[in-house]
Amino acid sequence: MPFEVVTIPCLEDNYAYLVNGPDGVAIIDAPEAAPIIAALEARDWKPGVIMLTHHHWDHVQAVDELKAKYGCMVMGPKEEEDKLPKLDFALTDGFSGGSEEGKCEVISVPGHTLGHVAFYYPKGGAVFTADSLMALGCGRLFEGSADMMWDSLSKLASLPPDTMVYSGHEYTESNAKFALSIDPENAQLISRVQDITEARAENKPTAQVPLSLELATNPFLRPADPSIRKGLNMDDNTDAEVFAEIRARKDNF
Ligand code: ZN
Ligand code: FE
């Protein structure tokens, strides 16, 4: 059975993705029509559905144009239905659809926005996290609380470690500088940052990585780590409190 993910850089630093599976082609997030159409036409693919992670304009603004061109269905989080382009199908936490590698589960991951969802393909081994879990980072808390985001990240962190994480922006290089300030002695982080610097020098995307690498290097997933806690003077705090401190420091970095 086929399962293929295509990464499409859009706008300044956004990503859209195509997922080609046994149920057809899905577009995940719609930041910009032209590069998405080009990626589809290059493969002679016709999308059946657009799946939206959250209501921010840089994830939805191409929906109308793509829908007009392809007549595809539009799905997105029910909790943000009033802020999204018109949905043909509203998604709630735990909903799943599709078959085999194309089976996709909706995971509610609020924090960046209150209705943000991630799309998890258990058999395809992929999760599309947009502005929740990001490569070496996590989304800003525009609508939700730190506790809420910590719960959301904890759900994603418990997926199988070989799951590929596809996030919504190319923010990795600036996230890396912050990560090193929180976790300066992490050898895996240091070597990952070198890889990122090299990849970005060649304009290669770096926001698509195995969860195992995020677990080992993303400070937002590592509030339990003793050396991070020590560096923050938070030996006796809860993981959620340490996470909140790391998130607050990133806002002022
Ligand atoms: Zn956003
Ligand atoms: Fe965004």
Side-chain angles (χ1 to χ4, degrees):
M1 283 285 164
F3 183 85
E4 187 183 352
V5 176
V6 178
T7 297
I8 309 171
C10 294
L11 305 173
E12 281 283 285
D13 54 32
N14 276 80
Y15 286 114
Y17 297 97
L18 303 179
V19 178
N20 186 18
D23 310 296
V25 176
I27 301 171
I28 299 189
D29 278 347
E32 187 182 12
I36 295 173
I37 292 169
L40 287 161
E41 287 182 350
R43 293 162 180 83
D44 213 6
W45 289 355
K46 293 259 181 299
V49 60
I50 302 172
M51 289 154 52
L52 303 172
T53 57
H54 67 294
H55 69 81
H56 285 157
W57 70 274
D58 61 314
H59 298 255
V60 307
Q61 63 174 356
V63 167
D64 292 343
E65 189 175 342
L66 293 168
K67 182 165 172 122
K69 186 172 171 72
Y70 295 108
C72 43
M73 282 186 75
V74 180
M75 301 186 187
K78 186 170 177 58
E79 270 186 74
E80 298 186 354
E81 201 167 10
D82 55 337
K83 296 179 178 143
L84 288 165
K86 194 184 170 317
L87 299 180
D88 299 298
F89 194 87
L91 301 167
T92 50
D93 185 48
F95 174 83
S96 86
S99 57
E100 296 297 320
E101 281 81 353
K103 181 171 177 256
C104 176
E105 298 175 8
V106 175
I107 305 175
S108 171
V109 288
H112 177 72
T113 65
L114 290 175
H116 199 306
V117 294
F119 298 113
Y120 174 48
Y121 291 77
K123 277 201 166 184
V127 66
F128 297 85
T129 57
D131 300 358
S132 59
L133 174 60
M134 308 181 86
L136 281 185
C138 79
R140 250 177 207 270
L141 302 175
F142 284 120
E143 297 177 10
S145 65
D147 275 353
M148 202 181 257
M149 181 63 103
W150 174 241
D151 280 349
S152 296
L153 295 187
S154 300
K155 286 196 238 177
L156 296 170
S158 70
L159 298 177
D162 60 349
T163 305
M164 280 294 292
V165 178
Y166 297 89
S167 60
H169 289 267
E170 184 58 53
Y171 289 162
T172 324
E173 209 166 13
S174 64
N175 286 344
K177 292 195 183 83
F178 174 72
L180 284 171
S181 79
I182 297 292
D183 199 6
E185 274 147 45
N186 182 336
Q188 241 184 301
L189 173 60
I190 293 163
S191 100
R192 182 178 177 190
V193 173
Q194 285 169 355
D195 295 343
I196 290 163
T197 309
E198 283 168 29
R200 291 311 296 155
E202 295 170 42
N203 208 25
K204 289 184 182 151
T206 63
Q208 302 76 25
V209 284
L211 179 60
S212 55
L213 186 55
E214 288 299 325
L215 291 168
T217 54
N218 183 333
F220 295 99
L221 297 180
R222 296 168 54 71
D225 182 75
S227 74
I228 289 180
R229 288 173 158 257
K230 201 161 201 279
L232 296 171
N233 259 317
M234 296 184 79
D235 289 328
D236 299 323
N237 293 76
T238 64
D239 288 351
E241 286 166 347
V242 177
F243 169 79
E245 174 63 21
I246 296 171
R247 187 56 259 179
R249 287 185 184 219
K250 176 70 162 67
D251 289 340
N252 299 308
F253 187 69

